């Protein structure tokens, strides 16, 4: 093949990749607003025989465009894989449900039998789950094997709707003699909390076919963890279990250890950043001694595990011939404990399987009673449940779910360092909060108070450093955590937040005597990042753009960051 032919082929594949029944527009950054904008795409879909996979991720699709694409899908009965993550960037939240309904109805009408449905990174909230509810209950999903809903902001309400839809799908498919065999379920970063996780656990227990289950960063505490543990026992083919960055405490860890005794096919366990504590780690070690024969990876990092329990875990993996990695980083071993752990692993000829211990927290300064700590967790959960019961009197279930979808997890870790950071922010303080920093800061900020939310945004962004990747990443993750929680909370006053922000940046006069801050480049660089995220409402971008186009002396010291922000806002602002 001549070099020109190779170049032409590569160019063609880059634009629209077609491979074994797949039509891909992945990552092309297309802005598809109306029927005219998708004419070429629709033509290609209609002319593609035997279409089995359609990739739309990495574009932004409006309601009319989605309806037009849907029309083309109504005759695609062979379609099995819908890779539709990250396809609503910059869209109003109200646009997403009708777009999803149109696409779902088309799949149902076509008689498609889906295997893969990926709607991750669409941040559509509970209403988005309602948009796919009909599809999930339909025969089109009786054959579903993979459901990926990572980072969708479903909340408690969305989790319950999803669980109910999956339950209907399983029952109706079972009645037809071919029960739903869902193998992979991924729903990290959705603020499911205990109620959402418990509802899904009931569905998983019924389905019983999971091989991979991921629920990272969902604000789940031991009641939800315990419910999931019970459900996993009924999924004997489970191979991967990821609950990273939730809060087990001793009770949740022990419940999960008991569940693992019933499972023989597990290969990867990620309980990192889950506060399993020493007694929980010991329970898991006890399970490992006799069970989990083909385990490949075990992550118990950042769990407040002390040396003795860590050594128990290490010795428990001695006969795991397939083990590739044991991660006990970020615990409370101390320098001598780390040395002893390495020595134990080396003595078993498994030294190369032990991950880094560079973030060890050191030995506890004083003896802590885990029973007392877990009792405190119990009280926190009970108090929150009592408060919720009082608040819910006279309210409908749907409203309750909306209000609580981003409530603070009951047994959240202690956060005095977060208060210190927000009072006197510095890059060092932010990094010292550790890997849970974004979750801890999110829990600390009262998003129902728009002034406090704006202040938190400015304080976090004030330590932004473009030339320091570690600090830059930590700042942006924390900004995303706070603002996504805020904008996905139904009672959050988004326009008031933007107004407060404009006042504090010196772009708008205050009627409430709010004082402007000294603007630094980080404020504008982080705002530029935020407006490009799917959680930031398009109508607020228009407001920001209007004020940024005005001359203002307060931003002159940050002219480069100001100009970049102005360019981004103008690019994202809809043409009038």
């Amino acid at each position: 093949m001549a070099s020109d032919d190779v170049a032409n082929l590569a160019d063609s594949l880059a634009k629209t990749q077609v491979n074994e029944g797949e039509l891909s527009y992945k990552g092309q950054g297309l802005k598809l607003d109306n029927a005219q904008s998708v004419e070429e795409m629709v033509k290609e879909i209609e002319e593609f025989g035997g279409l089995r996979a359609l990739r739309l991720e990495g574009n932004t699709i409006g309601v009319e465009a989605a309806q037009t694409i849907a029309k083309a899908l109504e005759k695609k009965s062979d379609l099995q894989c819908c890779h539709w993550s990250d396809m609503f960037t910059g869209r109003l939240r109200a646009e997403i449900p009708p777009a999803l309904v149109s696409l779902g109805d088309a799949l149902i009408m076509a008689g498609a039998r889906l295997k893969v449905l990926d709607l991750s990174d669409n941040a559509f909230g509970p209403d988005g789950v309602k948009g796919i509810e009909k599809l999930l209950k339909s025969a089109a999903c009786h054959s579903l094997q993979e459901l990926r809903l990572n980072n969708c902001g479903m909340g408690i309400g969305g989790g319950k709707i999803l669980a109910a839809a999956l339950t209907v799908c399983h029952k109706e498919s079972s009645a037809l003699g071919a029960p739903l065999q869902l193998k992979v379920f991924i729903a990290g970063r959705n603020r499911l909390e205990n109620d959402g996780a418990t509802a899904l656990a009931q569905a998983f227990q019924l389905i019983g076919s999971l091989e991979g289950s991921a629920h990272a960063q969902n604000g789940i505490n031991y009641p939800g963890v315990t419910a999931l543990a019970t459900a996993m026992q009924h999924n004997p083919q489970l191979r991967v279990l990821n609950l990273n960055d939730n809060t087990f405490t001793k009770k949740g860890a022990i419940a999960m250890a008991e569940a693992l005794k019933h499972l023989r096919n597990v290969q990867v366990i990620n309980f990192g950043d889950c506060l399993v504590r020493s007694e929980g780690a010991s329970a898991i070690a006890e399970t490992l001694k006799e069970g989990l024969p083909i385990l490949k990876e075990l992550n118990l990092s950042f769990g407040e595990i002390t040396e003795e329990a860590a050594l128990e875990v290490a010795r428990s993996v001695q006969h795991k011939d397939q083990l590739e990695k044991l991660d006990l980083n970020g615990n409370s071993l101390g320098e001598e404990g780390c040395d002893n752990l390495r020595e134990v692993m080396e003595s078993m000829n498994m030294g190369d399987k032990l991950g880094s211990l560079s973030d060890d927290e050191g030995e506890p300064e004083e003896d802590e009673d885990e029973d007392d700590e877990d009792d405190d967790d119990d009280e926190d959960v009970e108090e929150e449940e009592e408060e919720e019961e009082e608040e819910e009197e006279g309210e409908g279930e749907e409203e309750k779910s909306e209000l609580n979808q981003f409530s603070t997890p009951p047994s959240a870790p202690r956060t005095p360092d977060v208060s210190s950071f927000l009072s006197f922010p510095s890059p060092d303080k932010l990094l010292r909060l550790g890997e849970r920093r974004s979750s801890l800061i999110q829990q600390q900020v009262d998003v129902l108070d728009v002034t406090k939310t704006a202040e938190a945004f400015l304080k976090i962004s004030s330590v932004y450093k473009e030339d320091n990747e570690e600090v830059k990443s930590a700042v942006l993750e924390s900004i995303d955590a706070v603002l996504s929680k805020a904008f996905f909370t139904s009672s959050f006053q988004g326009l008031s937040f933007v107004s407060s922000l404009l006042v504090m940046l010196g772009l708008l006069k205050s009627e409430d005597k709010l004082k402007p801050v000294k603007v630094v480049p980080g404020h504008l660089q982080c705002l530029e990042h935020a407006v490009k995220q799917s959680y930031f409402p398009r109508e607020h971008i228009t407001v920001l753009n209007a004020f940024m186009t005005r001359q203002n002396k307060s931003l002159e010291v940050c002219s480069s960051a100001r100009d970049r922000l102005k360019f981004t806002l103008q690019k994202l602002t809809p043409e009038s």
Side-chain angles (χ1 to χ4, degrees):
M1 182 179 288
S3 58
D4 286 346
D5 292 332
V6 173
N8 291 335
L9 177 60
D11 183 61
S12 176
L13 290 174
K15 291 180 179 176
T16 304
Q17 299 172 32
V18 178
N19 182 26
E20 296 183 0
E22 177 180 283
L23 181 59
S24 177
Y25 300 90
K26 180 180 179 180
Q28 293 187 17
L30 302 174
K31 189 172 183 291
L32 308 172
D33 296 322
N34 49 39
Q36 185 178 359
S37 66
V38 293
E39 281 182 356
E40 185 177 345
M41 180 186 290
V42 165
K43 182 179 178 183
E44 290 172 344
I45 292 173
E46 289 175 341
E47 294 177 352
F48 195 104
L51 180 64
R52 292 197 294 274
L54 179 61
R55 308 195 77 103
L56 296 175
E57 64 265 55
N59 300 290
T60 176
I61 301 174
V63 177
E64 184 181 334
Q67 291 170 341
T68 308
I69 294 170
K71 196 70 177 175
L73 293 176
E74 289 178 358
K75 297 180 181 179
K76 297 298 174 180
S77 59
D78 293 329
L79 189 60
Q80 298 177 350
C81 303
C82 297
H83 300 283
W84 295 348
S85 63
D86 188 23
M87 66 175 193
F88 295 114
T89 300
R91 298 291 170 183
L92 299 176
R93 285 187 65 186
E95 292 183 83
I96 301 176
L100 291 172
V101 169
S102 297
L103 293 166
D105 285 350
L107 297 175
I108 296 170
M109 184 176 295
R113 293 293 181 266
L114 296 184
K115 290 185 177 180
V116 178
L117 179 59
D118 185 356
L119 289 166
S120 298
D121 300 316
N122 280 313
F124 46 49
D127 289 341
V129 185
K130 293 177 183 176
I132 60 171
E133 183 180 10
K134 180 180 176 182
L135 172 64
L136 290 172
K137 290 179 178 179
S138 75
C141 285
H142 287 182
S143 53
L144 194 63
Q145 296 179 7
E146 296 185 20
L147 179 58
R148 300 172 182 267
L149 296 167
N150 206 55
N151 191 29
C152 286
M154 291 189 290
I156 294 172
K160 289 182 175 180
I161 295 169
L162 177 61
L166 290 174
T167 299
V168 170
C169 184
H170 182 268
K171 289 183 176 178
E172 293 190 356
S173 59
S174 297
L176 296 173
L180 171 66
Q181 294 286 302
L182 187 65
K183 295 181 179 180
V184 175
F185 179 86
I186 299 176
R189 299 184 67 184
N190 272 292
R191 301 303 301 171
L192 294 170
E193 303 188 23
N194 290 329
D195 288 350
T198 299
L200 284 167
Q202 293 169 352
F204 298 150
Q205 184 167 333
L206 178 68
I207 294 169
S209 57
L210 286 177
E211 296 181 14
S213 185
H215 308 265
Q217 295 183 347
N218 267 300
I220 306 171
N221 301 298
Y222 80 82
V225 171
T226 300
L228 287 170
T230 301
M232 293 307 124
Q233 293 183 38
H234 297 269
N235 288 264
Q237 299 306 314
L238 190 70
R239 291 186 293 157
V240 179
L241 181 57
N242 180 358
L243 281 160
N244 185 277
D245 201 4
N246 290 290
T247 308
F248 282 33
T249 65
K250 179 184 71 176
K251 286 187 175 182
I254 290 175
M256 196 59 74
E258 286 298 312
L260 291 171
K261 291 179 180 179
H262 299 268
L263 302 170
R264 303 288 295 176
N265 295 302
V266 174
Q267 298 177 18
V268 178
I269 296 174
N270 187 343
F271 296 161
D273 218 2
C274 282
L275 208 67
V276 299
R277 296 192 173 135
S278 296
E279 192 164 347
S282 296
I284 292 171
E286 190 64 30
T287 295
L288 284 166
K289 289 178 183 178
E290 303 296 332
L292 305 174
I294 58 174
L295 186 67
K296 292 183 177 181
E297 293 184 24
L298 174 62
N299 184 345
L300 295 177
S301 60
F302 298 93
E304 293 190 1
I305 300 169
T306 54
E307 178 186 352
E308 184 178 352
L311 294 178
E312 286 182 51
V313 172
R315 295 187 182 102
S316 71
V317 301
Q318 181 173 7
H319 300 297
K320 306 302 178 199
D321 297 336
Q322 297 185 38
L323 188 73
E324 297 174 2
K325 185 176 181 181
L326 172 62
D327 190 347
L328 287 166
N329 197 18
N331 284 298
S332 304
L333 310 185
E335 186 175 347
E336 185 177 346
C338 289
D339 289 339
N340 291 337
L341 178 59
R342 293 188 189 98
E343 185 178 326
V344 168
M345 293 297 287
E346 291 287 353
S347 70
M348 301 186 299
N349 294 319
M350 301 179 78
D352 60 331
K353 312 300 183 187
L354 181 64
S356 169
L357 298 173
S358 60
D359 293 319
D360 186 74
E361 298 287 344
E363 294 182 64
E365 293 183 4
E366 58 186 40
D367 292 335
E368 296 180 354
D369 190 331
E370 289 189 1
D371 288 331
D372 289 344
E373 290 182 1
D374 279 332
D375 287 343
D376 291 340
D377 293 332
D378 295 350
E379 291 172 6
D380 288 344
V381 172
E382 290 170 2
E383 287 174 7
E384 180 162 294
E385 288 174 348
E386 289 173 3
E387 290 172 3
E388 288 178 356
E389 286 173 4
E390 292 173 3
E391 292 171 358
E392 286 160 14
E393 290 181 5
E395 296 181 357
E397 184 68 24
E398 182 175 340
E399 183 178 356
K400 180 195 74 174
S401 297
E402 289 286 340
L403 289 173
N404 290 305
Q405 63 174 307
F406 286 111
S407 59
T408 302
S411 57
R414 299 179 299 277
T415 59
D417 290 339
V418 176
S419 298
S420 174
F421 166 72
L422 290 175
S423 298
F424 304 98
S426 72
D428 184 57
K429 283 184 180 179
L430 180 63
L431 295 180
R432 285 210 312 266
L433 292 176
E435 291 190 358
R436 290 179 60 88
R437 65 179 70 86
S438 60
S439 176
L440 295 173
I441 292 172
Q442 182 191 66
Q443 294 165 16
Q444 185 81 357
V445 177
D446 178 11
V447 298
L448 296 181
D449 187 324
V450 294
T451 300
K452 290 181 179 178
T453 306
E455 288 175 345
F457 171 83
L458 293 174
K459 287 183 176 181
I460 298 167
S461 58
S462 70
V463 304
Y464 179 89
K465 290 183 178 293
E466 184 69 33
D467 58 352
N468 187 318
E469 284 300 321
E470 186 178 12
V471 173
K472 178 180 177 181
S473 176
V475 169
L476 296 182
E477 286 177 5
S478 301
I479 291 292
D480 287 341
V482 172
L483 293 188
S484 62
K485 175 183 177 181
F487 284 118
F488 291 144
T489 299
S490 60
S491 53
F492 180 67
Q493 300 297 315
L495 188 57
S496 296
F497 162 77
V498 172
S499 298
S500 297
L501 198 58
L502 290 169
V503 169
M504 293 177 190
L505 290 173
L507 301 177
L508 181 65
K509 289 184 179 180
S510 171
E511 297 179 0
D512 301 318
K513 297 182 180 180
L514 285 176
K515 293 183 178 180
V517 300
K518 180 181 179 181
V519 181
V520 297
H523 292 147
L524 306 183
Q525 290 166 322
C526 290
L527 185 55
E528 182 194 7
H529 165 82
V531 298
K532 292 189 289 187
Q533 307 309 306
S534 58
Y535 58 70
F536 205 98
R538 175 59 63 91
E539 62 266 30
H540 299 342
I541 293 175
T542 304
V543 174
L544 285 171
N545 184 52
F547 280 89
M548 286 300 301
T549 54
R550 302 176 182 178
Q551 291 294 327
N552 193 286
K553 293 182 179 180
S554 68
L555 303 185
E556 288 181 358
V557 293
C558 311
S559 58
S560 177
R562 176 200 63 193
D563 292 344
R564 283 175 49 189
L565 174 58
K566 287 171 66 175
F567 176 79
T568 299
L569 289 171
Q570 289 168 4
K571 185 178 178 182
L572 293 174
T573 300
E575 296 180 5
S576 56

